[in-house]
Amino acid sequence: MDYNYLSELLFPDVKMTAKELEAKYPERNLPDGAVVARFAPSPTGFVHFGGFFPVMAGERLAHRSGGVFYLRIEDTDSRREVEGAADALVRTLSHYGVEFDEGETATGEVGAYGPYRQSRRVDIYHVFAKLLVASGRAYPVFSTDEELDAINTADKKAEIKSVDWERDAEARREAMLKQREFTVEYVERELAAGHKFALYVLADGDGERKIKFTDLVRGALLLPENDEDFVLLKSDGVPTYHFAHVVDDHLMRTTHVIRGEEWLPSLPKHLMLFRYLGWRAPKYMHISQLMKLDPDGSKKKLSKRDMGANMDDYKRLGYDPAAVTEYVMTLLNSNYEEWRAQNRDKSYRDFPFSVKKMSVSGCLFDIKKLDDVSREVVSRMSSDYIYSALTEWAGEYRPDFASLLSGDENFAKAIISIGRGGKKPRKDYGTWVELVDFMSMFYDETFRISDKYPEGTDIGDVISVIDAFAASYDEGDDMNAWFEKIKKIGAPLGYCPDMKEYRANPDAYKGSIADVSMMLRVAVTGRLNSPDLYTFMHIIGKNAVILRLSSMKAAISSVNPEV
Ligand code: GLU
């Protein structure tokens, strides 16, 4: 068969040549070892936590090597496209500090290798489709109008058909071989009749034979050769993922394809296309699915519906993006935490990220671990940063609290500063939700008694302690003087002022100085656990201290009229 003639018949309008395209998208001028990686989402939904992984890995590898990280929107399946999804993806990633050097940005398209949206590259795919036909590697399969209708309207049927074929490999093979047989005259007739064709690749592989392949994460693998003729262009001329991404990764000069392991089974198809087109395939990293631990202890795939799967959830839940990226880094490289322990003040961007330290078997998503990491990260942030991040977050999710925050910046910052700085900063909260809860102890508008006095607390003593403390409280006292006063208040009531002495002789006392402090703590903070009480009192000020003490006294006196 005259394949050149066939290619002209099928693609009469394609005038551009592969050579011209190669010249238009030249090799990139980058330092040795520079990685060109991409994020290539289909705009069908949100960024999944499991999908964020490959993104971070790609971003790190590209930017640490002086390379390029670009965004390509794979929107060839318009039926699955969700309006606005691409913009939302970019916004989400930008929230996590992932920025692209090329691709669609807020201000339009950036980069010399575009367009970066597959739907705008159809002409380019047709050039290579024509080339494949001309080299005898691809052929048309015509559908009658009825068949097309059936495919377009009844996706379900098409699905069922392919399932049946999977079960019956022999039938599939026969159908495939049959569709390879046609004459040029037949093609001419079909085209003249206005019938549309899908373009199939002619597979030269043998499923019984294996190809050797090295995945950068998984190491050496043996994969079956591809023996399946698959669709390159659908009958509307739009390419499939398999075809489009191979063309794009080549022309955009991608060096590393980093993607989910679900693509590993189709890799032989992709490698075959690279070979047919005479291109060197990029390096591949297939990253394992993210797993979660079920309550019964078994590991399951983190599904789309799982809490925490959507990267946008974390914003709402009040995680700072730095905490989330920090957690992802701990999952990506097994030596990250060790490095972090020695480099507390460095950015994760300074970490020598390495493909070799990536887990082959898949990472476990653990929200408790995220919380730990988050507390650590937040504990090392500056008060100024926290104040502005919190104000922004609260503006969106807790407007009531946002106005409190902006009402008195110094007051808010004084609270946030508690236990900050130094070698071992406090880790009272890891999210803005937790911080709002923490701060709500301080504001009169949000203060409430959350904890009760423990069972057995002598309410009469509480009242005596409150009275004596209120009478003697002096804001000018230093911590020592302040504490001495509390000791002196407790001692005559039978509360040992010295903890050591109390522990040695507990039966000799009603309680200890810790109990006396607790009596004041619950009244002033509303909780059994609070930040340092002395500092707390200074932040809220004497008036508030006295007011809270007298409210507590009134409340417990009304419930316990006998005391
Ligand atoms: N569009 C594909 C997806 O969203 C991209 C896979 C790849 O990175 O090659 O899964």
Side-chain angles (χ1 to χ4, degrees):
M1 183 172 306
D2 183 345
Y3 292 120
N4 249 325
Y5 177 65
L6 181 64
S7 75
E8 286 301 333
L9 267 183
L10 295 174
F11 297 98
D13 299 331
V14 173
K15 299 288 176 232
M16 214 169 8
T17 65
K19 222 170 158 191
E20 282 161 1
L21 284 170
E22 295 288 343
K24 192 169 168 212
Y25 300 100
E27 288 284 352
R28 290 169 183 271
N29 190 7
L30 293 170
D32 273 358
V35 169
V36 179
R38 82 295 194 278
F39 178 41
S42 304
T44 53
F46 55 79
V47 186
H48 187 280
F49 197 98
F52 187 60
F53 252 63
V55 173
M56 284 279 285
E59 191 275 339
R60 286 295 73 219
L61 285 176
H63 287 152
R64 280 200 64 81
S65 63
V68 173
F69 187 52
Y70 72 87
L71 172 72
R72 183 173 72 223
I73 305 293
E74 304 210 320
D75 59 346
T76 53
D77 191 351
S78 54
R79 283 171 312 183
R80 287 177 56 226
E81 184 158 351
V82 175
E83 178 84 24
D87 292 343
L89 292 174
V90 174
R91 262 200 312 278
T92 303
L93 293 175
S94 170
H95 174 71
Y96 290 104
V98 175
E99 304 291 350
F100 297 97
D101 306 304
E102 295 174 11
E104 265 178 84
T105 65
T107 50
E109 223 179 62
V110 175
Y113 288 77
Y116 294 89
R117 203 173 247 276
Q118 288 185 328
S119 57
R120 296 200 204 116
R121 299 174 63 82
V122 172
D123 290 351
I124 298 175
Y125 307 126
H126 284 205
V127 171
F128 295 102
K130 185 174 182 180
L131 191 73
L132 286 170
V133 175
S135 57
R137 298 294 203 182
Y139 62 89
V141 174
F142 286 89
S143 319
T144 61
D145 295 340
E146 296 77 47
E147 280 167 342
L148 270 181
D149 275 354
I151 292 168
N152 287 337
T153 53
D155 291 339
K156 277 268 167 316
K157 266 193 211 150
E159 267 170 38
I160 292 167
K161 225 160 115 189
S162 69
V163 171
D164 284 351
W165 276 7
E166 253 169 46
R167 267 196 226 125
D168 192 347
E170 203 40 53
R172 196 187 75 193
R173 186 134 201 96
E174 253 173 50
M176 195 179 81
L177 291 176
K178 214 166 130 225
Q179 72 182 20
R180 286 178 176 182
E181 281 166 26
F182 59 88
T183 60
V184 172
E185 293 72 30
Y186 162 78
V187 173
E188 284 171 333
R189 265 199 318 276
E190 288 291 308
L191 289 172
H195 289 161
K196 300 237 182 281
F197 65 90
L199 193 72
Y200 278 71
V201 72
L202 191 120
D204 67 351
D206 174 348
E208 301 295 313
R209 283 202 310 257
K210 304 272 188 234
I211 34 177
K212 267 198 208 140
F213 161 79
T214 304
D215 183 281
L216 291 190
V217 179
R218 290 156 186 265
L221 299 173
L222 282 176
L223 298 170
E225 288 182 1
N226 174 59
D227 60 356
E228 183 194 336
D229 292 2
F230 59 91
V231 178
L232 300 177
L233 297 178
K234 292 173 269 184
S235 49
D236 54 3
V238 173
T240 54
Y241 162 73
H242 298 311
F243 184 42
H245 94 284
V246 163
V247 171
D248 292 343
D249 280 334
H250 170 69
L251 289 182
M252 295 178 179
R253 308 294 167 180
T254 312
T255 63
H256 288 60
V257 168
I258 303 158
R259 60 185 177 187
E261 66 179 349
E262 67 275 18
W263 292 110
L264 199 53
S266 22
L267 185 65
K269 290 190 168 99
H270 308 155
L271 294 176
M272 191 183 83
L273 286 180
F274 275 104
R275 180 163 50 82
Y276 280 5
L277 288 159
W279 299 334
R280 199 174 48 185
K283 295 193 166 88
Y284 286 91
M285 291 166 59
H286 288 92
I287 299 195
S288 301
Q289 305 266 18
L290 203 60
M291 308 300 277
K292 62 164 186 183
L293 213 50
D294 254 17
D296 67 3
S298 64
K299 280 190 190 176
K300 293 229 170 64
K301 205 182 114 187
L302 183 74
S303 99
K304 269 189 180 176
R305 279 166 299 278
D306 281 324
M307 162 75 180
N310 184 341
M311 288 305 286
D312 291 328
D313 286 348
Y314 298 99
K315 196 173 170 202
R316 185 171 44 81
L317 297 170
Y319 288 91
D320 190 83
V324 179
T325 45
E326 181 76 2
Y327 174 55
V328 172
M329 290 302 291
T330 67
L331 292 175
L332 272 177
N333 259 194
S334 53
N335 58 333
Y336 183 74
E337 286 178 88
E338 200 184 312
W339 174 86
R340 171 55 84 205
Q342 268 132 42
N343 297 279
R344 285 281 172 221
D345 300 323
K346 287 205 175 145
S347 157
Y348 73 87
R349 294 189 167 92
D350 297 323
F351 171 70
F353 180 78
S354 144
V355 176
K356 288 195 190 74
K357 300 283 185 192
M358 288 180 77
S359 153
V360 184
S361 59
C363 297
L364 203 58
F365 174 79
D366 177 359
I367 201 117
K368 276 205 210 81
K369 173 81 186 180
L370 167 65
D371 284 337
D372 285 350
V373 170
S374 198
R375 277 171 185 249
E376 175 66 41
V377 169
V378 172
S379 78
R380 309 217 172 240
M381 287 172 172
S382 73
S383 304
D384 285 349
Y385 174 81
I386 295 182
Y387 176 76
S388 64
L390 176 67
T391 309
E392 196 188 319
W393 177 84
E396 196 170 342
Y397 299 100
R398 289 291 304 271
D400 53 326
F401 204 78
S403 46
L404 289 181
L405 288 168
S406 52
D408 187 345
E409 189 173 326
N410 288 336
F411 185 72
K413 283 189 178 164
I415 303 170
I416 296 168
S417 299
I418 296 173
R420 207 154 284 287
K423 274 210 157 20
K424 274 198 160 260
R426 283 182 69 95
K427 296 178 194 168
D428 291 305
Y429 39 84
T431 66
W432 306 149
V433 171
E434 287 171 358
L435 176 54
V436 166
D437 177 59
F438 178 84
M439 292 178 84
S440 67
M441 289 184 254
F442 293 83
Y443 289 90
D444 291 336
E445 292 84 344
T446 49
F447 168 75
R448 62 188 185 85
I449 304 291
S450 314
D451 291 336
K452 287 197 184 83
Y453 282 115
E455 196 119 336
T457 306
D458 184 326
I459 296 303
D461 288 350
V462 174
I463 292 174
S464 309
V465 167
I466 285 178
D467 280 342
F469 184 82
S472 69
Y473 183 55
D474 179 349
E475 268 189 307
D477 286 344
D478 65 11
M479 198 181 208
N480 216 10
W482 173 86
F483 199 43
E484 283 308 315
K485 276 185 183 167
I486 299 177
K487 286 182 182 169
K488 279 210 184 85
I489 293 170
L493 296 167
Y495 296 88
C496 179
D498 184 274
M499 284 312 287
K500 233 194 202 156
E501 153 73 19
Y502 174 68
R503 272 190 217 105
N505 225 343
D507 294 338
Y509 299 93
K510 208 165 172 184
S512 75
I513 174 70
D515 298 302
V516 186
S517 301
M518 178 276 293
M519 293 173 190
L520 294 170
R521 184 185 309 280
V522 174
V524 174
T525 71
R527 310 203 187 176
L528 286 164
N529 289 309
S530 77
D532 169 63
L533 193 56
Y534 174 79
T535 313
F536 192 102
M537 289 185 177
H538 270 86
I539 291 176
I540 64 170
K542 181 163 179 178
N543 286 346
V545 172
I546 301 298
L547 197 72
R548 290 184 187 190
L549 289 172
S550 52
S551 313
M552 177 57 96
K553 181 179 164 185
I556 52 183
S557 309
S558 67
V559 184
N560 304 276
E562 72 277 11
V563 292

